[in-house]
Structures are given as C-alpha cells and as structure tokens.
Amino acid sequence: MPIGDKKREERLEEEVFNKLVDGSDAALHAHNEAHQAASQVEPGGYYRYVDSEPEHHNDFLTTYDDVVAEVDSDAPTRTLWSDAWGRLKKNRLAIIGACWIIFMVIIALTADLWAQQLLGSPTAIDTGTAAATQLQPPSLEHPFGTDSVGRDVLVRVIYGARVSLSVGVIATAISTVIGLVMGAIAAFYGGIWDTLIMRLADIFLAFPYTLFVIAMLAVIGNGIQNVFIAIGVLGWPSIARVFRSAILSVKENDYVDAARAMGASDGRIITRHIFPNSVASIVVYATMNIGGAILTESALSFLGMGVVPPNPSWGIMIQDGQQYLATEPWLMLMPGIAILTTVLAFTLVGDGLRDALDVKMKDA
Amino acid sequence: MAFGKKKGEAKDPLANTPLSGILDGITDLKEQPIPEGHHLLEVDDLHMFFHTKDGVVKAVNGVSYTLDRGETLGVVGESGSGKSVTAMTIMGLIDMPPGKIEGGDVLYRGKSLLKMSEREMQTVRGNDIAMIFQDPMTALNPVYRVGDQIGEPLRIHRGYSKKDAVDRAAELLSMVGIPNAEQRVREYPHEFSGGMRQRAMIAMALACDPDILIADEPTTALDVTIQAQIIELMQKMQEQNGNAIIMITHDLGVVADIADKIMVMYAGNPVEFGTADDIFYNPIHPYTWGLMRSIPEQVTDEKKPLTPIKGNPPSLVTLPKGCSFSPRCPYATDLCRNEVPKTYTLPDGHYSKCHYALDPDFVKGRAPENSRSYSGGTPRVVIDEPAGAPVAGMAKSEPGTVTAVDGALAQKAPEAASAEEGEE
Amino acid sequence: MPDTSTVAEATQTPVYADDVSELDPSQRGNDPLLHVEHLVKEFPVSSSIFRRGKKRSVHAVNDVSFDIYPEETFGLVGESGCGKSTTGRCLMRLINPTSGTVVFNGEDVSNMKGKQLKGLRHDMQYVFQDPYASLNPRMTIGELISEPMYIHNEGGTNEERIDTVRQLLKVVGLNPEHINRYPHEFSGGQRQRIGIARAFALHPKLIICDEPVSALDVSIQAQVLNLLDELQQEFGTAYLFIAHDLSVVQHISDRVAVMYLGSICEMSDWRSLYAEPCHPYSQALLSAVPVADPDLQRSRERIILAGDPPSPIDPPSGCLFHTRCPIAQEICSKEKPELREIEPGHFCACHFAKPFPIEGSSIKL
C-alpha cells in the first residue's frame, strides 16, 4: 500500500471521526463520501471506517478487556511449537525424563574419550588378570562391579547404551516413516487402499512381534544394522493405525470443511489443518515406541539374535548375568536398571509431549 | 413384595400404591405429610462451592426458593450460571470434594436433604425426586433394553420383580404416548428417535410417582415440534400426578410456557425470583431486562433491533467485585461495582439481588419496553409500597383487573388470562 | 457460461413483490445472485457386501428451488434432518449435489472444477454452526482470519494482511491485541465472531450462515445477530441464513423458506410467512415455538403435531407431510403438491393452501 494513500486515509478517518462526534447529518454524509473515496483508493482500507460505528462493540471491547486484562500476558508472537515448549518446561516429570535421556546420550557419545581410560575396555578380556578381577561386587574402583571375565560392568552399560539408544531412535524412525506414509495413504485415499493397507497391518499385527523379528533376522542375517531394520520395518502397523485414525477423526472436524469452503487446496488442508492436529498423537506414540524398541533389542540380544558378543548390549549383559542372579545380582541388576530408567524416561517425555502439544491445556 | 399387585395397578398406572413403605422399614418420604409451616421443597440460601486447584468456583451462591406440589419452577440462565449444579446439589449428586456445601439448607417435606446419609438419599433419588437429563441420546444406557431401564427404579425402590417391572414399563411408555409399548419395551435405545427417548426418560422418571421432577434442559436437544410434544406431556403428567417440576432451561419461551415461578440465575447467583408474570411483565433486575431484550420478538409489522447484553459472563473463580453482573450492566454505578447486593424481597416474595430493586424510578426508567408494566409510559407497578400492602395487584396491569398470580393458580386460569389479553 | 441464460429463461424467475420493495430500487428486476433449481442430494445408504439388493438412499434434499438476491437475507428454516444444512453445503460444493442447477453470480456452480471452484469459494463463504469445531485449534486467530487471504493470495504483504486482520477483529468486536491467541482462549460467542471475521475477510457476495447462533447463549446470540446485521449493512453481503429457530430467522431474514424432509413447503417474505402461514407444517411450527410471554402462551392455540418426522430413506408418497398433517385428505398421499404461488411472492406446497381453503378444518388457512 503506497504511503501517500495511507496518510490520506488516516487523515480522512480523523476527519470523519471528528465530524461523527458532532453527530450531524453532514457528518454522516462526509462519512459516506470518505468511505467511497477510500474504497476507491484501495479496498484494504475498507474496514477502517466501521471502527467508530457499532456502539455495542465498543462497550463490548472495554468490558472484554477488563475481563481478560489480568490474564493477558501475550508474547508478541506465538507458535504451536513455542507454546508447546513453554508447557513442556513446566512438566517436571517430562523434564526429568528428558534430562535423563540427554545425560545418557552424552555419556554414550563421549564414552570413547574417558570411559576406557577410567574403567578399562568393555570388550577385551585380560586373561591374565581375569581370575583376580572377576565377579567383584560394586566398589569405588568398579562402581557397578565386574562380570565373570573381569570386565567392568559400568563401562559395558555405557557402551551398551550406544546400542540401545540408537536402536530405539533409528528403529522408531524407520517404523514412523513407513507408518506415516501407510497411514496417510489409507486415510486420504480410502477405499481399496484403505482396505489393503489396513488388512496388511492386521496381518503384521497378528504375528507375535518378537517371533516375527526373529524370523526376519533369520532371513536377513544377524548383526546390529539388521536389528535396526527388522525392528523398524516390523513396527509400522501400529503407527499406521494410530495415524490413520487420527487423520480420520481430524478430517471430520468443521475446520477442515471450513478450509475447503475457503478454497484451500488439498495440500494446504493436509499440511495446515490435518497434519498439525494429528501429529501430536504420532509424536507421543513414537516417543513411547522408542522404549519398546529398546526392550525388543534387549530381548533379541538376550536370545542371542542381536548384538554379537563380546560387544556389550543391555540385553546380552542380562543374559550373561542370569546365571549369577543368586550370588552376584548386580550383573543383571545394573543393565536392568539402565533399561528401566531409559524406557521410563522416554515414556515420561512422551506423556509430557502429549500434554504440551494439547493447546487446550492450561499454561498454569 | 410386589407380586400379585400388578393386575390391580394396571388399571391405574400411577396411583399411589400402599406398597411404597414395604421395603424393610424405609418409609417413603413422600407419604409423610408436609410439616406445618413448611413447603414441599425449601431451598434456603444454599451455597455450594467447588474447591479446585484453580481456585474456589462459586457454583451455587445463595439460592433460595420454595416449591409446592403441582407447581412448576423455571430456572433460567446462561450456560455456566449454575442452574444445573443447583439441581445436582439438591439431588446430592455433586462429588464432595471437590464440591462443598458452604451454607444454607435444602428441606424436603421439612427434612434436610443435605444432612441425609447416602443410603437415605438413594431412597429419595428416583423415588421422591426424579431427574430428566438434557441429552436423551446419552442418558439412556445403550446396552440395556428400554423396558429394563424404565423398570429399574421400580425394582430399586418398590422391589418389583423383573417381569413386573417390564410390564409396568410398558404401561408407563404407553402413558407417555409411545405406540406399541408392549413391543417397544423390548427395544434398545438406539431404535428410539430423540423425542421418543425423551418420552422414555420421562416415563422412567415418573415410574415411582415422584414428588418432584427435576428436568434439566429436557427439550434443548429436540426439535420445536417435538419440544412442544414433550412440554405438553410434562404438563399433562403434572396434572395427573400433582408432582412439582423444576424446569431448568435457557429458553425463556419454554419457561413462559410451563413455569409458575421463575428463578433467573447469573454466575451462580439467583438474581431474580418471582412468579412467571413477575419475571416477564414486571422484571426488576437488569439482567432479566437484558435477557428479555436479547430474544427476537415475534412480530409481523416492524422488526425491533435486539439489545444484547454486552460482554461475557464472568469466570466463577474470579467473580467481579461487587455485583457479579456489574461489568455487563449498563446501569451499574460505583455502588454496584464495590458492594455485593443483598437480596431485596418484595412483599409478595418476588426478590432480586440488585441494589436498585426497590427504587421505582430506577426500575421504571430502565425496564424493557416490551415488559408490560411500561406500556403507555406509566408505571403500573408500585414497588415502593410498604410491606403489607396489597400484593395481588403487583404483577398485573390495571388496578381493577386483579388476577391471582400466586403460583399454580395462574396457570389454571387461562380464561382470565386470555380475557385480559384481549383487552390489551 | 452458455447455459445460464437458458436456465434463467426457462424458470421465469418470479418477482417477489414484497421483497423487492424492501430492497434498493436499483435491485428491481436484477438477476438473482444465487439461483437454485431442482436441487437434489441423495446419500447412498451403505449396504453390506452380503446383502445385495435395491440400492437405498437418504433423500436429504429433494427438488429444492429458490433464488437469493444481492444484499438480502434468505432464511432457511426447518427441523433437524430436513436437509437445510445439506442444501447449504451443496451450494458451496462442499458436497456434490446429485442433480439440479446452482447458478451463482451468473455461473453454473454444479460443474465447477479447480480454479473456478476456488473462485466460487472466494465470493461465497461459510459460517459454521459450531464455533468450537470450525476453528483449527492449533492456529492463532491471526492465522485463522488471514488464511482466506493466503489461500487466494490477496491482501498484499504479510504485514498488510496482519493489519487487515486487526481491523477485522475490531469490526467484529474483538480486541486486535489478541491476534496471537488460540481459539480455545475465547468464549463461544467470541469464537463465532472470529468465524464471521474470517468469512468477511475476502468481501464475499454471499455468506452461508449455517446455524451460526444456535450454539450460543441468548445474550450472546443477540450480539452475534446484531453483528451480522451491521456487517450486512456495511458490506452489502447477501446471507443464506440456515437455522432451526424460527424467531431468530424471522428477526434476520427478508425472505424465508420452510423446509420439511428435504423439500421447501413454504416460501415467502418474512412478514406474510409469519403473519399468515399457509402450509399446515409452517402453522404447526410457528405455533410450537414457545413465546416468551406467559399470557400469550396460555391463551394461544397450539397445534401439536403427532409423531416424529418420517425417515428420509423412505419418504412418504405424495405430500411429504401427509403422515403428520392434521388436515390431510386422500389426495395428499397420492399427489405431490407443487410449490405454487398463492399470493404474489408467497409460495406454498399444499393442495389446500389458499385460495382453496379446506372446509371445517381446525386450522385457519
């Protein structure tokens, strides 16, 4: 809008306002004239002239302001994500969970820099000293004790975290991507696609999950990458189902119709209206799924299908430790606690995210 | 128990049976006489607050009224004004905590409902005081047959056998105007239309011949023609049974249709209470005026503009200082904004919580044009009469045409009313 | 558009005498803004794959014809399930009509695609019944109201759009400072104001208001009705006002059509419809509306219709209303009455409507 026009419009507005205050017929006339002039100048300025008119609006405004004044603490801009962050910060349990995950991630990532120097190698077995150092209870030197061949349990838990965390994140990422695509296709195209995809999902879900993963690993071979892939590929049906039903329920809402009534394209409706309203359930579900993937990996390793010894993983450590359960319980307990706390942390974060992404939750 | 009694009952379905007291020494309250000086139901300055983590929600803030058999009380207010919560409090259906009675009392036949044990209340609910809910779609349990649900209160309160209860349910259904009741009792709620479900709800509520029927927005979910059916049905049932009705609604038209007394609620407060004629023709609270001016009039000549009440109802947690209506009241003064108004009662029991309720000039100058007291520009109501002044003329126009407007009488004198209508 | 002219000729658009007199003289003889003719919408009833047989369908809209002129408010009133909302949605092609013609602004809407449809949805806007459901809960009201401008790439730069949104908020009586708030922070009435602001963002020629006040409290309802009135006077928009509340429709409409079971049974300017309803259904409907006047309520005669409306899956033969009609005769179950003009501008679909009053009926016709 050219600046000159804006100035002129403002001047006109002021003029009209002053005259309206006088309340004469002439003022009304002038108002109409100015109105016409302004709409000729540019249509966007059209609205300005109604400002002074509907009296009850002004009443309404003042009272409304009174009512909301006390709770009014608007930041200049707000987005869904910044608001969600604001709410997440206030959720103590979710923050504890997030801190724990971050702590684990940092430990796992930086392990090469310090863990081996302090605690020894997680894999190498020093046959010379093994007899002397094996099966020691937790002590200052070995905070989590040592295992049957003299390796420090703590350093193995730390290196095991690498496997567990990456399995959780990568496998979940794979199943989420597949699940989102499948769920979206089923929900949007419906009909035969919906039937095909959802029946396929039913078939996947009908198999015992762990057994299915084991079968798949038997086909594609053992190894940590294959564990990622197997867990990830087989995890999509539940995500697809959740996403499909989320989309279907969002699609029913009037605001989707409202967007169509405005002339919005399908792409815009999906990205602006359907996705933001259904993504929350997926974020939450995926977060919680990470815990599940960690558990599956542990189970696989426990069964000897996942990580190949002597590489550490929490599942393998539990398997190794089970024969010493009665006498040296820390061998099982320590990786067990690691699994428990990590899965719990992801669940807490998932819960927190669900609440945070719900715009209707009170900020307080 | 109730065996063998069925045949006799079949002829007169809602007759008070002497069976009522049969259950292990628990006698029906409704069989007992109302003590001298008491009404059927007396709500006396009832306060019920919810204590939530956001603060104290003053949901019921000093509600008072009385109700007798055969009367209908209309409770009007916007959503969140506490009209349903008041009824739930009377029924003892509020969870305590978070709810807490902060004062006042509810007397039913002279007995305090608030002091009753849960077991005693269970015999009252559905038996002495029954309730109809707003949404007939959700108030009936979809997994039970309609007949079983209608018969349930009979089995609970009267010890009917399952078969007797269903038979009685069929009678009740046909009484509320559902054809083929014998077959219908065996159907499930989803096979009923909305109007029929509401009829079934009424049948269920009336199964034990209650003293008081609380209807919480019974027609809001229904279409106009069905609403008319249901209101007619409730009136017919009331004539037959003589029960009292508490009609909770937001629709002024519905209360004008059915109510003898009206309580207007705003933000948990009963802002005005009086006979239907008091409220419609002689309102003294600005909120009532506002409501009257907000509804489109049925005119066929010239449309009159609506005068809405500005703003929104306040949050019940942070009620405004002073009169809770003052932020929206166009006539509010500093007094209103700072001091909570007392209840000002006129000699005939018409009361209002407005500082200016007793100021004739204030009322005269501001009541809506369509309230009859102001047609012709002369106030027909003198509300600064000293107490004890003639009461009967209050609500009605010409000094000569005094109509009895005391409760139920008004409704039973349609000739008088229509005659007067003709004069005007 | 080739077929528009033929359509207009064929139907011989009647002159609504009373109505036109209320409009600006320059409107007289003008083409209608919206012309609907023989609109039909049937929804197939999904049948199980195991039970093949005659295909059944819900006759939601059954041969509906009406016109809306520029700057007028056309009220469509009826009970739930009578097809009034479906009609509104068909006009905007939110659902595709089964058959019939809809001409908006001289263009046939029924076969529009892509760009044309987008253009239609520029000039015609929709205000939804439920102010809670019709606003995307994850968008601020600024985003919500400016969305039509983004979609149609209008309103200049982002800053200018934001400016317009602020002005719109002021116009509908909301605080422009609340532009960054979410819908759930507003009350029902305020949300409906947001919905109205959004509908007006593109200066549409016609706004379909689908029960815009039925979810609101009485005092708020009056605020929104007044707002709609003021905006109409300001912008000269035509409204199709769909509602079940007769007094609200009466208040806001210039002309009113009463729908029953997918068909229009009476159509007239508001004055003669409310003063002298000709169709027994309109009479019953009007008499069933509770009036906030106890004396009048006690004295007036009410026509209480028996039973429920029949299912639109198997509509009755002949006159759709004959199953509940208090004056139904033999002919009613056999012949479907046409919507005919019984007085200038007053249309009624009843065999016995004026000028053929039926003898001895309890209803005054």
Side-chain angles (χ1 to χ4, degrees):
Chain A
M1 160 186 341
I3 293 171
D5 286 344
K6 204 166 182 171
K7 282 246 174 74
R8 176 163 166 241
E9 198 190 303
E10 276 164 8
R11 189 175 49 77
L12 277 170
E13 190 183 7
E14 201 179 298
E15 203 175 299
V16 167
F17 181 75
N18 291 336
K19 284 188 182 170
L20 270 181
V21 171
D22 294 340
S24 65
D25 283 353
L28 202 66
H29 189 66
H31 170 255
N32 289 340
E33 258 181 13
H35 195 140
Q36 271 169 10
S39 43
Q40 277 160 11
V41 171
E42 51 104 31
Y46 203 41
Y47 297 105
R48 304 218 147 190
Y49 294 92
V50 269
D51 289 356
S52 55
E53 281 185 318
E55 195 185 321
H56 79 267
H57 289 168
N58 295 337
D59 294 353
F60 178 80
L61 268 185
T62 49
T63 40
Y64 178 67
D65 287 348
D66 291 346
V67 174
V68 296
E70 48 215 273
V71 285
D72 197 358
S73 56
D74 265 6
T77 49
R78 292 165 68 184
T79 64
L80 177 61
W81 301 105
S82 69
D83 275 15
W85 173 234
R87 279 187 291 268
L88 190 64
K89 276 193 295 194
K90 287 176 191 150
N91 187 332
R92 208 168 291 154
L93 282 176
I95 290 300
I96 292 173
C99 288
W100 181 248
I101 292 166
I102 291 166
F103 174 72
M104 294 291 280
V105 168
I106 291 172
I107 294 269
L109 284 179
T110 59
D112 281 343
L113 300 178
W114 53 272
Q116 301 209 25
Q117 289 86 320
L118 284 177
L119 302 161
S121 162
T123 51
I125 303 166
D126 189 341
T127 41
T129 56
T133 54
Q134 69 181 0
L135 297 175
Q136 286 180 3
S139 63
L140 264 184
E141 195 186 347
H142 301 289
F144 284 14
T146 59
D147 68 2
S148 57
V149 286
R151 291 173 298 199
D152 183 80
V153 174
L154 177 59
V155 78
R156 281 177 66 78
V157 168
I158 288 169
Y159 277 87
R162 289 183 158 190
V163 175
S164 293
L165 289 175
S166 47
V167 156
V169 173
I170 294 171
T172 302
I174 294 172
S175 33
T176 306
V177 168
I178 301 176
L180 287 186
V181 173
M182 297 293 234
I185 291 173
F188 284 122
Y189 293 96
I192 186 73
W193 287 106
D194 191 18
T195 315
L196 271 179
I197 290 174
M198 289 340 279
R199 290 305 80 77
L200 190 65
D202 287 346
I203 292 167
F204 270 69
L205 288 171
F207 279 99
Y209 181 58
T210 316
L211 201 64
F212 209 171
V213 176
I214 290 170
M216 187 155 171
L217 282 177
V219 175
I220 61 176
N222 273 10
I224 192 70
Q225 284 90 349
N226 289 349
V227 170
F228 292 165
I229 294 168
I231 296 179
V233 167
L234 297 179
W236 70 269
S238 41
I239 299 245
R241 284 192 144 194
V242 171
F243 195 46
R244 172 180 170 272
S245 58
I247 291 176
L248 287 183
S249 70
V250 171
K251 250 171 96 177
E252 288 304 304
N253 277 308
D254 268 354
Y255 55 78
V256 175
D257 267 345
R260 285 179 63 209
M262 272 178 253
S265 62
D266 284 358
R268 185 180 174 90
I269 291 174
I270 293 169
T271 54
R272 293 284 293 169
H273 297 279
I274 295 180
F275 194 70
N277 283 291
S278 44
V279 75
S281 58
I282 291 305
V283 171
V284 175
Y285 196 84
T287 320
M288 298 195 174
N289 211 30
I290 292 176
I294 292 175
L295 289 176
T296 309
E297 185 279 328
S298 303
L300 288 175
S301 299
F302 179 81
L303 295 169
M305 302 289 296
V307 178
V308 187
N311 292 318
S313 125
W314 294 343
I316 286 184
M317 292 174 70
I318 290 179
Q319 188 205 12
D320 287 346
Q322 64 170 335
Q323 47 190 311
Y324 304 101
L325 181 58
T327 48
E328 285 85 24
W330 60 89
L331 286 184
M332 250 182 109
L333 211 56
M334 295 308 172
I337 290 173
I339 293 175
L340 180 94
T341 51
T342 311
V343 173
L344 186 66
F346 277 111
T347 313
L348 288 177
V349 172
D351 260 347
L353 278 177
R354 183 184 54 217
D355 291 349
L357 286 171
D358 184 356
V359 279
K360 291 182 192 95
M361 287 291 286
K362 285 238 177 84
D363 290 312
Chain B
M1 305 277 269
F3 296 111
K5 204 63 204 169
K6 197 202 92 199
K7 284 281 183 297
E9 262 179 19
K11 292 196 181 80
D12 188 9
L14 272 194
N16 258 337
T17 59
L19 284 173
S20 349
I22 248 166
L23 273 177
D24 321 324
I26 298 174
T27 46
D28 258 4
L29 266 176
K30 66 183 173 221
E31 300 299 325
Q32 296 170 3
I34 302 170
E36 198 72 23
H38 281 286
H39 294 273
L40 177 69
L41 182 74
E42 291 171 36
V43 180
D44 181 26
D45 201 24
L46 182 66
H47 289 74
M48 200 282 299
F49 297 168
F50 288 109
H51 295 264
T52 67
K53 66 177 191 314
D54 294 332
V56 179
V57 178
K58 294 170 184 147
V60 181
N61 205 348
V63 172
S64 308
Y65 58 79
T66 62
L67 193 65
D68 285 308
R69 272 184 76 83
E71 274 188 342
T72 302
L73 169 76
V75 183
V76 195
E78 295 176 273
S79 45
S81 60
K83 50 192 198 304
S84 292
V85 182
T86 307
M88 302 280 272
T89 311
I90 292 167
M91 288 283 271
L93 291 173
I94 301 286
D95 287 335
M96 317 252 174
K100 187 164 182 269
I101 304 285
E102 302 278 339
D105 206 348
V106 180
L107 299 178
Y108 168 65
R109 289 187 182 261
K111 284 217 165 98
S112 168
L113 291 180
L114 301 179
K115 294 194 181 80
M116 282 189 182
S117 69
E118 178 60 23
R119 188 168 148 70
E120 283 173 299
M121 272 314 282
Q122 279 170 5
T123 66
V124 170
R125 280 184 220 131
N127 192 23
D128 301 309
I129 307 177
M131 200 159 176
I132 308 174
F133 294 93
Q134 169 175 4
D135 193 350
M137 302 296 164
T138 56
L140 286 170
N141 188 333
V143 303
Y144 294 111
R145 293 169 201 263
V146 173
D148 294 342
Q149 296 191 51
I150 295 175
E152 204 182 352
L154 289 167
R155 302 188 65 202
I156 296 171
H157 296 293
R158 301 283 172 89
Y160 274 44
S161 75
K162 189 164 180 178
K163 187 175 171 305
D164 286 347
V166 172
D167 286 346
R168 182 64 201 277
E171 292 162 18
L172 287 163
L173 269 190
S174 71
M175 199 177 66
V176 295
I178 291 183
N180 288 333
E182 298 286 322
Q183 275 95 55
R184 284 293 190 173
V185 285
R186 272 177 263 286
E187 291 184 359
Y188 288 90
H190 73 265
E191 295 170 88
F192 278 46
S193 72
M196 277 160 65
R197 278 182 230 198
Q198 200 57 287
R199 282 169 187 268
M201 286 294 301
I202 292 175
M204 184 154 84
L206 294 178
C208 289
D209 186 21
D211 250 353
I212 302 169
L213 180 63
I214 299 179
D216 188 357
E217 305 254 11
T219 60
T220 307
L222 304 175
D223 281 319
V224 188
T225 55
I226 310 296
Q227 167 174 301
Q229 292 174 2
I230 296 295
I231 289 176
E232 197 202 23
L233 173 70
M234 288 178 69
Q235 284 174 327
K236 207 176 99 198
M237 293 292 120
Q238 186 179 29
E239 265 170 44
Q240 274 183 24
N241 308 328
N243 58 307
I245 295 177
I246 299 179
M247 179 72 139
I248 300 165
T249 179
H250 67 276
D251 190 332
L252 283 167
V254 171
V255 286
D257 204 357
I258 199 170
D260 307 311
K261 298 172 169 181
I262 294 171
M263 180 167 73
V264 181
M265 288 194 70
Y266 182 77
N269 276 299
V271 290
E272 187 166 357
F273 172 81
T275 63
D277 288 12
D278 283 342
I279 300 292
F280 279 100
Y281 304 132
N282 183 26
I284 49 176
H285 195 283
Y287 178 65
T288 317
W289 302 339
L291 281 183
M292 301 286 172
R293 288 178 184 142
S294 297
I295 43 175
E297 256 187 283
Q298 284 215 327
V299 288
T300 44
D301 39 10
E302 210 44 53
K303 290 179 191 176
K304 290 178 192 146
L306 302 176
T307 316
I309 307 171
K310 59 187 183 175
N312 288 290
S315 144
L316 292 179
V317 180
T318 50
L319 283 178
K321 202 179 153 204
C323 171
S324 50
F325 186 57
S326 61
R328 298 176 77 190
C329 182
Y331 319 118
T333 60
D334 282 343
L335 178 66
C336 303
R337 282 183 274 269
N338 291 313
E339 248 175 71
V340 179
K342 288 190 304 231
T343 304
Y344 296 93
T345 313
L346 299 176
D348 62 343
H350 182 183
Y351 75 71
S352 165
K353 287 195 179 179
C354 173
H355 289 297
Y356 299 98
L358 299 180
D359 177 355
D361 291 332
F362 181 81
V363 175
K364 187 171 68 186
R366 291 166 178 89
E369 284 161 31
N370 57 358
S371 92
R372 206 170 296 171
S373 39
Y374 293 99
S375 62
T378 44
R380 294 177 183 175
V381 180
V382 193
I383 57 165
D384 59 345
E385 289 274 357
V391 179
M394 297 260 334
K396 278 290 184 270
S397 40
E398 269 72 34
T401 58
V402 171
T403 315
V405 284
D406 187 14
L409 279 176
Q411 204 185 9
K412 281 169 187 146
E415 298 89 353
S418 57
E420 193 175 294
E421 189 68 28
E423 281 168 27
E424 280 177 14
Chain C
M1 294 306 301
D3 30 337
T4 358
S5 57
T6 50
V7 164
E9 273 166 35
T11 50
Q12 293 178 334
T13 322
V15 180
Y16 301 98
D18 275 36
D19 167 53
V20 171
S21 65
E22 281 189 10
L23 292 174
D24 181 355
S26 66
Q27 304 290 336
R28 197 180 294 270
N30 258 16
D31 286 336
L33 177 67
L34 180 82
H35 172 77
V36 182
E37 201 187 340
H38 302 308
L39 184 73
V40 174
K41 176 66 194 176
E42 291 173 5
F43 293 103
V45 179
S46 58
S47 54
S48 135
I49 31 170
F50 300 111
R51 220 189 312 143
R52 296 244 173 232
K54 216 175 79 185
K55 278 217 165 169
R56 302 204 304 164
S57 52
V58 177
H59 301 260
V61 180
N62 200 348
D63 193 8
V64 162
S65 308
F66 59 88
D67 291 320
I68 298 179
Y69 289 88
E71 305 195 18
E72 79 165 340
T73 302
F74 186 80
L76 204 52
V77 66
E79 297 181 273
S80 57
C82 73
K84 51 193 195 303
S85 287
T86 312
T87 308
R89 284 172 186 240
C90 279
L91 301 185
M92 247 191 131
R93 293 278 309 279
L94 285 175
I95 44 183
N96 289 326
T98 310
S99 67
T101 324
V102 179
V103 179
F104 176 67
N105 216 10
E107 287 180 62
D108 189 349
V109 170
S110 344
N111 299 315
M112 280 188 173
K113 284 200 183 76
K115 246 201 179 125
Q116 277 180 309
L117 200 55
K118 198 170 165 181
L120 168 76
R121 289 168 180 176
H122 179 280
D123 289 335
M124 208 197 274
Q125 293 285 325
Y126 209 97
V127 174
F128 289 81
Q129 166 177 13
D130 186 349
Y132 296 83
S134 62
L135 301 174
N136 185 340
R138 291 174 201 277
M139 286 166 83
T140 63
I141 61 170
E143 292 172 310
L144 283 165
I145 296 174
S146 62
E147 195 179 15
M149 293 183 265
Y150 279 100
I151 290 169
H152 293 276
N153 206 11
E154 267 183 24
T157 64
N158 277 1
E159 288 74 37
E160 282 166 1
R161 283 177 185 155
I162 295 295
D163 231 36
T164 314
V165 170
R166 285 175 188 277
Q167 290 161 12
L168 274 167
L169 282 175
K170 246 193 232 172
V171 168
V172 299
L174 292 173
N175 187 341
E177 300 307 309
H178 297 158
I179 191 162
N180 284 320
R181 293 188 166 212
Y182 286 98
H184 71 91
E185 295 169 69
F186 294 87
S187 69
Q190 290 168 338
R191 284 186 225 197
Q192 202 54 286
R193 285 169 190 268
I194 297 168
I196 291 168
R198 179 172 66 179
F200 271 96
L202 296 174
H203 305 274
K205 294 194 174 75
L206 173 68
I207 295 183
I208 299 172
C209 304
D210 190 355
E211 303 256 16
V213 296
S214 60
L216 307 175
D217 276 321
V218 185
S219 68
I220 310 295
Q221 191 171 314
Q223 292 174 359
V224 172
L225 286 176
N226 277 2
L227 174 68
L228 284 170
D229 244 355
E230 278 154 17
L231 291 173
Q232 183 169 44
Q233 275 162 30
E234 192 67 38
F235 300 118
T237 318
Y239 291 140
L240 171 62
F241 195 92
I242 300 167
H244 69 277
D245 187 331
L246 283 135
S247 34
V248 167
V249 170
Q250 177 187 24
H251 179 80
I252 198 155
S253 305
D254 300 316
R255 285 190 304 128
V256 181
V258 181
M259 277 185 87
Y260 183 76
L261 219 59
S263 293
I264 290 181
C265 57
E266 187 163 1
M267 175 162 70
S268 162
D269 71 290
W270 70 272
R271 219 172 254 132
S272 64
L273 180 75
Y274 282 82
E276 311 178 303
C278 291
H279 197 284
Y281 178 65
S282 322
Q283 292 177 357
L285 207 56
L286 277 171
S287 85
V289 179
V291 184
D293 186 337
D295 279 351
L296 183 61
Q297 198 71 263
R298 280 169 216 141
S299 61
R300 73 190 187 133
E301 252 184 68
R302 323 262 311 250
I303 308 164
I304 296 194
L305 292 176
D308 297 308
S311 151
I313 298 178
D314 295 306
S317 63
C319 174
L320 294 168
F321 186 57
H322 85 262
T323 53
R324 297 172 81 197
C325 182
I327 57 163
Q329 307 286 313
E330 225 181 304
I331 184 176
C332 299
S333 59
K334 289 181 183 142
E335 259 178 61
K336 187 174 173 155
E338 291 296 312
L339 189 67
R340 57 199 170 85
E341 193 164 9
I342 49 168
E343 260 172 31
H346 194 142
F347 295 77
C348 181
C350 176
H351 291 299
F352 301 105
K354 282 187 295 188
F356 312 109
I358 179 166
E359 291 283 318
S361 92
S362 61
I363 297 178
K364 40 182 198 310
L365 279 172

